[in-house]
Amino acid sequence: MTRQPVTAVAVGEALEAFRDTTPLVQCLTNIVVAQWTANLLLAAGAAPAMVDNPHEAGEFARIAGGVLVNLGTPYDDTTDGMRLAAAAAADAGTPWVLDPVAAGGLRWRTDLAIELLGASSPTIVRGNASEILALAGGAGGKGVDATDSPEAAAEVARAVARDNRTVVAVSGPTDHLTDGDRMVLVSNGHEWLTRVTGVGCSLGALMAGFAAAVDDPLLAATAATAMLTVSADHAVLTTRGPGGFATALLDELSLLTPETLAAEVKLG
């Protein structure tokens, strides 16, 4: 099926659909960011569910609107839950997002990320440039920080998307998002987004929510990115540093309208 171009109008309409849906987002995420991720989803207009144990993760993935699998702090039991949730989501047609945190730098989590990517066909893969390069055999970054630019990873992202029939979202000063054919750039945001723990991880959860609300995964990933970064543009105007910015970001996410999002998103 030929997909339509991702436009500012479509991004605004995606936010309207997201708010109308109030998607239930299952988050199998890391211990550092769980509360922040839940608060961000609530502020944006979604319903978070932090169900990550192997007894319930697969069952819940079948009823959730979207699922996030984030490899920030993997443990034996939670990775079992991730495998079950990813497999159940793929089987049930539930959109799910893979965030391969620090892939490339550590062998076990890298192998796990590659396993999940190949086994259960994520709807969206979200990461920084070094993490995305690692999925294709690169060395990875410096811990959770990228040492490569989104521009350097763009063609690899396109290949990973094409080979795995997924959308790849590469976060950075200008976000690069591709389904292997279309490439969308989002140029909103502020450097303080990198000074608040969990913003990138919560973006994966937000993408899962948008994927539950719209049927084009590239539009879903773009709209989630736009919502977060346009809200950041607003939040920085009333704050003096990362602490106040984090609080203001939640406020701005809750206040952002589809009309404002469509008017202010910078797409390329």
Side-chain angles (χ1 to χ4, degrees):
M1 178 173 60
T2 301
R3 295 288 194 177
Q4 297 298 315
V6 174
T7 64
V9 171
V11 166
E13 290 172 347
L15 176 54
E16 186 173 5
F18 175 87
R19 292 261 175 77
D20 288 344
T21 303
T22 314
L24 176 63
V25 182
Q26 179 184 7
C27 300
L28 298 91
T29 193
N30 70 76
I31 60 172
V32 181
V33 307
Q35 182 179 16
W36 169 262
T37 299
N39 284 339
L40 188 143
L41 286 172
L42 287 168
M50 320 312 271
V51 180
D52 63 357
N53 69 78
H55 304 287
E56 300 172 322
E59 178 183 1
F60 199 90
R62 293 181 178 276
I63 62 172
V67 177
L68 168 67
V69 173
N70 175 292
L71 304 184
T73 53
Y75 299 95
D76 287 337
D77 58 342
T78 54
T79 55
D80 287 344
M82 290 173 184
R83 289 185 177 98
L84 291 167
D91 182 63
T94 305
W96 74 279
V97 176
L98 173 64
D99 191 334
V101 179
L106 296 166
R107 187 71 263 162
W108 181 54
R109 75 175 62 212
T110 303
D111 289 345
L112 177 62
I114 293 171
E115 173 195 337
L116 290 168
L117 176 63
S120 299
S121 300
T123 309
I124 300 167
V125 179
R126 191 223 71 85
N128 64 41
S130 296
E131 292 161 350
I132 300 305
L133 289 169
L135 295 179
K142 182 181 178 183
V144 299
D145 297 323
T147 54
D148 302 277
S149 70
E151 291 75 14
E155 288 310 310
V156 170
R158 196 188 294 272
V160 170
R162 187 184 308 113
D163 292 347
N164 295 279
R165 293 176 296 174
T166 188
V167 165
V168 176
V170 188
S171 295
T174 295
D175 298 277
H176 288 56
L177 306 97
T178 181
D179 60 3
D181 179 20
R182 297 170 294 171
M183 176 73 74
V184 180
L185 309 183
V186 181
S187 299
N188 299 87
H190 190 272
E191 63 179 351
W192 285 348
L193 286 167
T194 66
R195 303 286 298 277
V196 177
T197 298
V199 169
C201 296
S202 60
L203 175 56
L206 197 58
M207 288 180 180
F210 271 90
V214 300
D215 65 3
D216 180 351
L218 182 60
L219 174 59
T222 302
T225 302
M227 185 183 194
L228 182 67
T229 55
V230 170
S231 295
D233 290 341
H234 292 187
V236 75
L237 298 177
T238 60
T239 52
R240 299 175 58 192
F245 171 76
T247 301
L249 181 60
L250 296 180
D251 291 342
E252 295 298 340
L253 282 162
S254 71
L255 295 170
L256 186 66
T257 67
E259 294 77 17
T260 297
L261 182 60
E264 297 185 14
V265 63
K266 300 173 184 175
L267 298 180

